[in-house]
Amino acid sequence: MTTTTKQTAPPLLLAGALAGPLYVGIGTIEAIVRDGFDIRKHSLSLLANGTGGWIHSTMMVVTGLLTVVGVLALRQAGLRSRWAIGGLVVYGAGVAAAGLMRADPALGFPPGTPDAMPETISWHGFGHVIAGFLGFIGLIVACFVLSRRFGRQGDRRWSRFSLVTGVVYLLGLVGLGAGSGTAAVNLGFTVAVILGWTWITLLMLRARAEGVSDEVHG
């Protein structure tokens, strides 16, 4: 690793660490101030619709790209796990792509929309779902791979943290596919999203503060 690479990794890792707080913070504010939005009923993706929807779309694109930048910095900092790096890049790219392809209005949001799921799915609505699904799978894979990696290094806290994050996200994704629109599923998936972004943020900050080992190449 060159000296220049070592110098550029920390600020890029910080940029990646900012993605989570931006996503959760802006999404929370939107959920509170947008008329007709109910987190118990509506997914955050619906905020891309209606007046001010561009804010949510822009936030997704920016945070997704920041995540990719941070992940590439993880690679520069020494993380050589292809599956972990690949999974996190897919996640960041998936978030950004989902931001470019707006979810279809549904379940009464924005106000004036029929209180049901749409009968047909637009091309951008379909693309949003696919991009999000692939991104979520990428994050889950990265969590499980790094859980094993940290376990091999004897870091039990991070191994468990990564495992729990992956399991919670997997359960949230399964629940979302089985019962979208129900309060329990929406709130559960919201918890998974917050946990996932927290994990990514702390992973970036950990690498920035301590560096990462390149002992595991799996």
Side-chain angles (χ1 to χ4, degrees):
M1 186 186 302
T2 65
T3 301
T4 301
T5 299
K6 290 181 179 180
Q7 291 175 342
T8 58
L12 295 180
L13 287 168
L14 182 58
L18 289 174
L22 285 174
Y23 189 103
V24 175
I26 294 174
T28 299
I29 293 172
E30 289 181 294
I32 293 172
V33 304
R34 292 286 299 276
D35 291 337
F37 186 84
D38 185 348
I39 192 61
R40 297 168 298 178
K41 182 179 181 181
H42 304 126
S43 67
L44 285 176
S45 294
L46 293 180
L47 289 167
N49 293 285
T51 303
W54 66 270
I55 296 175
H56 192 78
S57 296
T58 302
M59 178 271 288
M60 292 188 69
V61 173
V62 170
T63 55
L65 294 178
L66 284 175
T67 300
V68 172
V69 168
V71 175
L72 295 180
L74 280 175
R75 180 74 168 77
Q76 291 180 350
L79 180 60
R80 297 293 184 265
S81 175
R82 293 184 296 274
W83 283 98
I85 293 295
L88 287 171
V89 167
V90 168
Y91 176 70
V95 171
L100 292 173
M101 294 179 283
R102 186 179 71 254
D104 291 324
L107 301 170
F109 187 86
T113 301
D115 193 15
M117 295 299 292
E119 295 182 0
T120 59
I121 301 178
S122 66
W123 67 268
H124 53 81
F126 181 76
H128 178 89
V129 171
I130 295 301
F133 176 78
L134 293 177
F136 298 152
I137 293 298
L139 177 60
I140 292 167
V141 169
C143 285
F144 289 156
V145 168
L146 288 182
S147 174
R148 183 183 180 190
R149 175 184 178 278
F150 286 126
R152 286 181 175 179
Q153 293 181 338
D155 192 337
R156 293 185 178 181
R157 288 190 305 172
W158 265 93
S159 179
R160 292 170 181 171
F161 183 23
S162 301
L163 179 61
V164 169
T165 301
V167 169
V168 170
Y169 227 106
L170 178 60
L171 293 176
L173 184 59
V174 170
L176 195 65
S180 180
T182 64
V185 168
N186 278 357
L187 292 175
F189 191 71
T190 299
V191 170
V193 168
I194 294 173
L195 180 61
W197 280 116
T198 300
W199 180 78
I200 290 174
T201 296
L202 294 179
L203 181 68
M204 301 287 182
L205 294 178
R206 179 185 188 274
R208 184 173 184 269
E210 303 176 4
V212 292
S213 171
D214 61 355
E215 293 178 359
V216 178
H217 297 260

